[in-house]
């Protein structure tokens, strides 16, 4: 049996983006059944959970007879490789898939997260005004390089959808709602191509459905804080 941890509730703008959707997605691609354990901050901080996920975050993947895995990228690689889905047969291409998964998480995601933090969490408008242009410029530089590497290919490695594409498109999702992808038509088309997959649609719909059952109070948060957030 496989269980994935996810958050009970997030503000509407984050629904469909929480990182457990990556694990749901790859499990759907593999055709493996799983259950979801919805977590609140108390659960995330519990010693028992810290033993599974040292940073107290979602997702982890629990699987009977195997160690509990954490880090969405590691879980996606694990499922892709063991299921043989999203995993090329050629060893050289497998090595490239690993490179791209790490690149998505290490060379692209932090730069997009910097912008998300400015847009979503920075409260002081003056601070935001001063900081945003530099953060946008650095993120765009990363996207320029990514766009050039993808070129006119449909996918990052070879001609099939792999774990590399799942992870990179999921990371690019962080830029959704910003102007970042406007200049990179091939990246926008790449995202559309990846997100149209039934396994992705189901992952996002299921995550949204889980979140819709709860509210900020279930996370121990004051609902008034989120009244104007969508
Ligand atoms: N590098 C981790 C990041 C996980 C992460 O940031 N999880 C967020 C949700 S998207 C979380 O659990 N936030 C709650 C918290 O940090 O308390 C991964 O990819 O699995």
């Amino acid at each position: 049996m496989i269980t994935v941890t996810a958050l009970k509730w997030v503000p509407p703008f984050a629904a469909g983006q929480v990182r457990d959707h990556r694990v749901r997605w790859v499990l759907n691609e593999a055709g493996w059944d799983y259950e979801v354990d919805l977590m609140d901050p108390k659960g995330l901080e519990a010693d028992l959970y810290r033993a599974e996920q040292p940073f107290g975050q979602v997702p982890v993947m629990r699987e009977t007879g195997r160690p509990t895995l954490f880090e969405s990228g590691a879980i996606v690689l694990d499922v892709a490789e063991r299921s043989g889905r999203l995993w090329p047969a050629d060893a050289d291409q497998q090595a490239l898939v690993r490179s791209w998964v790490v690149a998505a998480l290490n060379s692209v995601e932090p730069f997009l997260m910097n912008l998300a933090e400015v847009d979503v969490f920075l409260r002081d408008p003056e601070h935001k005004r001063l900081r945003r242009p530099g953060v946008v410029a650095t993120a765009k530089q990363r996207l320029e390089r990514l766009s050039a590497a993808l070129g006119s290919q449909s996918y990052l490695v070879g001609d099939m959808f792999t774990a590399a594409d799942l992870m990179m498109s999921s990371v690019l999702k962080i830029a959704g709602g910003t102007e970042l992808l406007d200049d990179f038509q091939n990246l926008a088309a790449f995202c559309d191509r990846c997100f149209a997959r039934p396994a992705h649609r189901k992952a996002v719909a299921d995550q949204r459905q889980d979140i819709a059952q709860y509210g900020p109070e279930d996370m121990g948060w004051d609902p008034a804080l989120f009244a104007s957030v969508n």
Side-chain angles (χ1 to χ4, degrees):
M1 186 176 101
I2 294 178
T3 305
V4 178
T5 56
L7 296 179
K8 267 188 182 159
W9 188 82
V10 292
F13 70 82
Q17 300 237 22
V18 189
R19 287 170 175 82
D20 60 88
H21 86 268
R22 297 170 178 172
V23 178
R24 297 178 194 242
W25 184 359
V26 74
L27 287 168
N28 292 342
E29 296 277 3
W32 292 359
D33 290 336
Y34 61 93
E35 293 180 353
V36 177
D37 182 7
L38 297 174
M39 310 286 295
D40 56 22
K42 237 192 200 159
L44 294 173
E45 282 158 25
D47 289 346
L48 217 58
Y49 192 67
R50 288 288 164 91
E52 297 182 304
Q53 215 295 2
F55 310 105
Q57 295 186 307
V58 302
V60 306
M61 182 175 79
R62 304 183 185 119
E63 191 175 351
T64 312
R66 295 190 82 226
T68 296
L69 300 185
F70 64 103
E71 287 295 334
S72 59
I75 301 171
V76 165
L77 279 171
D78 179 76
V79 175
E81 188 165 359
R82 282 195 297 139
S83 69
R85 302 297 310 265
L86 315 195
W87 197 246
D90 176 74
D92 289 348
Q93 290 199 337
Q94 292 169 4
L96 284 172
V97 169
R98 288 193 195 92
S99 290
W100 275 113
V101 167
V102 174
L105 295 167
N106 195 45
S107 300
V108 180
E109 186 169 51
F111 298 90
L112 303 187
M113 283 305 293
N114 283 346
L115 182 59
E117 273 165 33
V118 169
D119 284 350
V120 179
F121 297 113
L122 215 56
R123 294 276 163 218
D124 175 16
E126 183 58 6
H127 194 178
K128 207 185 267 258
R129 189 183 69 78
L130 291 173
R131 183 153 160 69
R132 198 172 191 280
V135 168
V136 167
T138 323
K140 274 197 171 169
Q141 192 201 46
R142 290 291 153 146
L143 296 186
E144 255 164 43
R145 306 277 159 86
L146 175 63
S147 173
L150 180 66
S152 59
Q153 295 164 206
S154 294
Y155 299 113
L156 288 165
V157 180
D159 54 8
M160 68 178 274
F161 177 80
T162 68
D165 305 301
L166 186 157
M167 192 54 59
M168 189 61 83
S169 62
S170 166
V171 162
L172 291 177
K173 194 185 274 195
I174 298 166
T178 75
E179 71 278 35
L180 275 188
L181 290 180
D182 292 355
D183 296 338
F184 306 105
Q185 281 189 9
N186 66 338
L187 296 184
F190 168 74
C191 285
D192 290 346
R193 193 174 304 125
C194 297
F195 297 158
R197 297 179 71 81
H200 172 264
R201 287 180 189 273
K202 180 167 168 39
V204 166
D206 288 350
Q207 182 181 88
R208 287 181 187 280
Q209 197 177 38
D210 286 341
I211 288 168
Q213 296 173 50
Y214 295 94
E217 60 285 354
D218 296 300
M219 300 296 278
W221 299 331
D222 178 0
L225 286 175
F226 299 94
S228 61
V229 180
N230 51 42

